[in-house]
Amino acid sequence: MAEHASRRCCLGWDFSTQQVKVVAVDADLNVFYEESVRFDRDLPEFGTRGGVHIHKDGLTVTSPVLMWVQALDIVLEKMKASGFDFSQVLAVSGAGQQHGSVFWKAGASQVLTSLSPDLPLGQQLQACFSITDCPVWMDSSTTAQCRRLEAAAGGAQALSRLTGSRAYERFTGNQIAKIYQQNPEAYSNTERISLVSSFAASLFLGSYSPVDYSDGSGMNLLQIHDKVWSQVCLGACAPRLEEKLGPPVPSCAAVGAISSYYVWRYGFHPGCQVVAFTGDNPASLAGMRLEEGDIAVSLGTSDTLFVWLREPVPALEGHVFCNPVDPQHFLALLCFKNGSLTREKVRDESASCSWGEFSRALRSTQMGNGGNLGFYFDVMEITPEATGRHRFNAEGHEVSAFPRDVEVRALVEGQFMAKRLHAEGLGYRVGLVAGTNMPFSEVVKLAPNPRLAATPAPGAAQVYEALLPKYAKLEQRILSQVQGPPE
């Protein structure tokens, strides 16, 4: 490994839910080194499952902050043992799981600026946190705080227009409000509140790193158009909050040189720069090299849709974040809970548990599925808030079942029409848009192009353009059945 580890490079760090990982990227954007620590496996003393602690109420979910610190220690020591040449690192940056927060105790900044290179970080930072188990994105215990924040902002839609999202339980502003209300002593003893991303950057900087615009817009606290903290939202959450957060910065900002701790302990060059870390979702937009007009869909347990927007329309569903690549533009994100597990279930029921049979069913049916439309919400959906399976024939009448091949196509078409419908609700318009020739595009032009997996079939645009209004109308019918008539 050592002979390959002496290239000039940048380090990219990922502080995710289940691990801390690093990649080294050379000047040609080739990844030539990787290392990681998995929390459950490598740090069992913290007793996490999936990297978190799920509390007895089933709603509160936290992670021990020192686990993240010790994981960084372990990764760096592994790199050192492998012969990695830290002196060649020009810059470090990275991503953190979005919506997690870290509460630094009064006096922690002095510890950060005077770290001893003779000791690991975990040993020196043990007493630096006023909250030792930090809330993370899986937490859903702040419903009361969400309702209070929406009321203070003039309603859910007003809050969405201001901050990019209605109030969500996992968002950091609501988590801060809960800690202030339930543990005022710890809040009072907190001198700085970081996101996981800015916390990680702070470890490298040796001082508090600012929150970046993009990750900061997942807090229900940042005015996404003005890029400043909302005084209304701050006041609704906790006192003196602005001073505990510090001013936000662009996501591509260089926030300072690396701490001398890393120069003396590992051999980093003193000129190595720390670039603001951001959230994992914004980082995905940058990693996919999206540009204005692009759309990306991650097909996982939940499906996540990313859209680059110039003029967003914040709504009661989905999220609008500041764009990490171009601070004048935006990133819209939609999450669909019924993703791969629902597709696998329909595959098992209608395609003999075979993806080959599933694909054959798609090929045997025509685009538009003869006007048959299906909605498959095996668990309560996020976008839209509905549950159950609903099937409609070409005349718009609800039916109890489809033929097996029709069922497969109805699932696939329905899921993707939902993504288009709700993306358009946030301001996205389907069409070809020229690239914007941004500096970031120049930076990544040497990187391999993402592999093209599929292209639209001829005539697909016309078929689904005509079918989409019918799909939207039927979705509204389902929602009216679930939610009942307006009061």
Side-chain angles (χ1 to χ4, degrees):
M1 179 63 68
E3 66 269 19
H4 301 295
S6 295
R7 313 184 203 179
R8 289 165 66 85
C9 64
C10 295
L11 296 183
W13 293 85
D14 179 28
F15 282 66
S16 68
T17 309
Q18 299 189 47
Q19 68 175 350
V20 167
K21 179 179 179 180
V22 64
V23 295
V25 184
D26 67 16
D28 295 321
L29 299 184
N30 296 306
V31 174
F32 66 92
Y33 182 93
E34 298 184 36
E35 190 54 83
S36 65
V37 165
R38 293 189 66 85
F39 302 139
D40 295 0
R41 180 192 66 200
D42 300 320
L43 290 163
E45 61 269 29
F46 288 99
T48 59
R49 297 187 65 181
V52 301
H53 293 148
I54 300 177
H55 295 234
K56 291 181 179 179
D57 62 5
L59 301 175
T60 304
V61 184
T62 59
S63 290
V65 62
L66 278 174
M67 179 179 72
W68 300 333
V69 179
Q70 290 188 26
L72 176 58
D73 280 330
I74 295 171
V75 172
L76 287 167
E77 291 300 326
K78 285 184 174 182
M79 297 175 74
K80 185 177 180 179
S82 76
F84 189 90
D85 188 354
F86 293 99
S87 70
Q88 295 298 301
V89 179
L90 302 175
V92 300
S93 189
Q97 53 172 297
Q98 233 178 335
H99 313 303
S101 49
V102 174
F103 294 73
W104 297 89
K105 186 184 291 186
S109 60
Q110 186 174 349
V111 177
L112 269 177
T113 56
S114 56
L115 293 168
S116 168
D118 298 326
L119 299 172
L121 289 171
Q123 189 172 334
Q124 300 184 73
L125 298 179
Q126 285 185 33
C128 284
F129 307 102
S130 54
I131 301 290
T132 55
D133 242 22
C134 299
V136 293
W137 65 272
M138 296 169 68
D139 189 283
S140 56
S141 65
T142 62
T143 301
Q145 289 77 18
C146 288
R147 300 293 80 81
R148 177 180 174 181
L149 179 58
E150 288 181 347
Q157 183 63 58
L159 181 64
S160 181
R161 285 195 296 268
L162 188 67
T163 71
S165 302
R166 66 175 304 166
Y168 283 90
E169 282 81 358
R170 65 188 179 276
F171 276 35
T172 318
N174 306 300
Q175 295 291 337
I176 293 170
K178 177 188 171 184
I179 287 172
Y180 166 66
Q181 293 163 23
Q182 296 186 1
N183 196 345
E185 183 177 354
Y187 180 81
S188 178
N189 200 28
T190 297
E191 69 179 18
R192 186 73 168 215
I193 300 173
S194 296
L195 299 179
V196 174
S197 56
S198 59
F199 156 76
S202 299
L203 296 178
F204 287 100
L205 196 59
S207 60
Y208 294 139
S209 177
V211 171
D212 77 289
Y213 293 159
S214 198
D215 206 6
S217 50
M219 299 173 72
N220 277 145
L221 294 177
L222 187 78
Q223 296 179 191
I224 59 171
H225 292 283
D226 302 325
K227 313 297 191 296
V228 296
W229 301 121
S230 163
Q231 296 302 314
V232 169
C233 296
L234 294 174
C237 291
R240 306 184 311 280
L241 184 50
E242 186 168 15
E243 66 187 63
K244 295 179 189 290
L245 293 173
V249 297
S251 302
C252 295
V255 293
I258 199 165
S259 165
S260 61
Y261 171 84
Y262 299 89
V263 176
W264 292 106
R265 186 172 177 89
Y266 296 106
F268 278 83
H269 190 279
C272 174
Q273 292 294 300
V274 179
V275 178
F277 285 38
T278 191
D280 51 5
N281 287 313
S284 295
L285 176 139
M288 285 293 296
R289 299 165 60 193
L290 299 190
E291 297 184 358
E292 184 180 352
D294 286 347
I295 187 168
V297 180
S298 172
L299 299 176
T301 303
S302 294
D303 289 349
T304 305
L305 179 144
F306 301 89
V307 180
W308 179 303
L309 292 175
R310 180 186 292 268
E311 297 179 0
V313 183
L316 295 182
E317 59 186 18
H319 313 289
V320 175
F321 300 144
C322 299
N323 192 303
V325 174
D326 185 337
Q328 302 306 311
H329 292 182
F330 299 89
L331 156 66
L333 185 148
L334 286 163
C335 187
F336 301 85
K337 191 176 289 186
N338 291 272
S340 63
L341 297 182
T342 302
R343 286 186 289 274
E344 290 169 8
K345 194 169 183 180
V346 172
R347 175 204 64 187
D348 295 346
E349 296 167 352
S350 300
S352 305
C353 303
S354 165
W355 286 120
E357 283 296 305
F358 191 95
S359 297
R360 186 205 60 77
L362 283 174
R363 289 193 299 269
S364 71
T365 48
Q366 293 184 335
M367 287 187 298
N369 212 14
N372 295 296
L373 290 170
F375 300 77
Y376 298 81
F377 309 131
D378 289 342
V379 296
M380 176 60 76
E381 186 51 83
I382 299 171
T383 312
E385 283 188 74
T387 189
R389 293 189 179 185
H390 309 269
R391 302 171 182 86
F392 299 89
N393 62 21
E395 289 73 39
H397 300 307
E398 191 157 5
V399 296
S400 60
F402 284 147
R404 295 173 69 180
D405 289 359
V406 173
E407 180 95 322
V408 168
R409 180 168 283 276
L411 167 73
V412 173
E413 289 188 338
Q415 287 189 329
F416 278 88
M417 279 194 285
K419 291 172 175 58
R420 173 174 171 178
L421 177 68
H422 293 282
E424 289 184 346
L426 290 172
Y428 180 75
R429 294 293 175 265
V430 173
L432 297 178
V433 180
T436 54
N437 194 31
M438 299 173 295
F440 182 77
S441 300
E442 292 301 310
V443 171
V444 300
K445 66 182 180 181
L446 295 177
N449 287 319
R451 185 175 64 87
L452 183 63
T455 56
Q462 292 82 357
V463 170
Y464 297 112
E465 190 79 37
L467 201 56
L468 197 65
K470 179 181 176 182
Y471 181 92
K473 187 175 180 180
L474 292 174
E475 183 183 271
Q476 286 303 309
R477 188 197 300 184
I478 293 168
L479 286 174
S480 67
Q481 293 170 356
V482 172
Q483 299 169 351
E487 297 180 359

